[in-house]
Amino acid sequence: MAARPAAAPVPRLTRDEQTALECVNAEREENGLPPLSVDPVLVEVARQHSADMARQGYFSHIAPGPDGPSPLDRYAEALGRKPGTVVGENLATCDAPMIGLIHENMMASPGHRANILDPEYVSVGVGIWTADDGRVWVTEMFRGALPQTRR
C-alpha cells in the first residue's frame, strides 16, 4: 500500500480572513449545512487573485488579457493538475476593511449567496488584500469534494 502524501499545512489566516470564514460558516450552519474546511491551496490562490486585482486595477473573476485565467485555471495551476472538482468564487471590494458589511452584501446577492450555501462545496479559501490607499479586495474560493482515491 502506497503512503498518502501529507496534507499541506493550513496557512495562518489574517484576522479579516478568519472573520470572513466565520461569517461563511455561520451562514452554512444557520441553513443546516456543514462548515467548510480551509483549503490551503485555495487560500493562496485567493490571496494572489485579490492582490492581482488591486495591483492591476480590475475587478473580475477573469484576469485581463486574451488568456486571462479563470478561477478553475488558477486553482489547477496552483495544484499542478486539473482538480477534478467544481470550483466557485465570490469577489468583493470596499473602501475599508468592513468584512461584516462585505459579507452582508454577498448574502444579499443571489450568486454570492448560492456559492456560500452550495451543499456541494466542502472547502474554502479566503484571500484579502488591502491596498496602500486602504481599499480592500476579497476573494472567496470554494471547491467541491475531491474524488476518492483508491486505497
Side-chain angles (χ1 to χ4, degrees):
M1 180 182 328
R4 298 179 109 185
V10 175
R12 181 180 297 269
L13 298 179
T14 66
R15 183 180 61 200
D16 287 341
E17 290 168 342
Q18 183 65 38
T19 299
L21 172 65
E22 290 168 2
C23 288
V24 165
N25 279 334
E27 292 290 350
R28 291 179 63 85
E29 182 179 352
E30 286 178 23
N31 286 276
L33 297 167
L36 299 174
S37 64
V38 176
D39 178 319
V41 176
L42 285 178
V43 170
E44 292 305 322
V45 174
R47 285 176 174 168
Q48 290 170 8
H49 188 60
S50 290
D52 188 56
M53 288 189 296
R55 289 181 183 134
Q56 292 196 57
Y58 71 95
F59 184 71
S60 176
H61 297 287
I62 309 296
D67 295 321
S70 70
L72 183 62
D73 295 334
R74 293 191 309 272
Y75 187 51
E77 182 178 338
L79 289 174
R81 61 178 169 72
K82 290 184 179 183
T85 184
V86 65
V87 174
E89 183 176 73
N90 285 348
L91 302 177
T93 188
C94 190
D95 290 332
M98 298 179 283
I99 302 307
L101 179 61
I102 290 170
H103 179 74
E104 286 178 23
N105 287 336
M106 283 190 185
M107 289 305 292
S109 161
H112 293 96
R113 180 183 181 86
N115 277 339
I116 291 168
L117 299 179
D118 190 326
E120 186 173 355
Y121 291 140
V122 297
S123 293
V124 66
V126 179
I128 298 177
W129 179 267
T130 303
D132 292 339
D133 65 1
R135 188 163 189 81
V136 175
W137 303 80
V138 179
T139 302
E140 296 175 343
M141 293 190 70
F142 304 87
R143 78 161 168 80
L146 297 172
Q148 296 297 316
T149 58
R150 293 185 188 176
R151 292 184 177 199

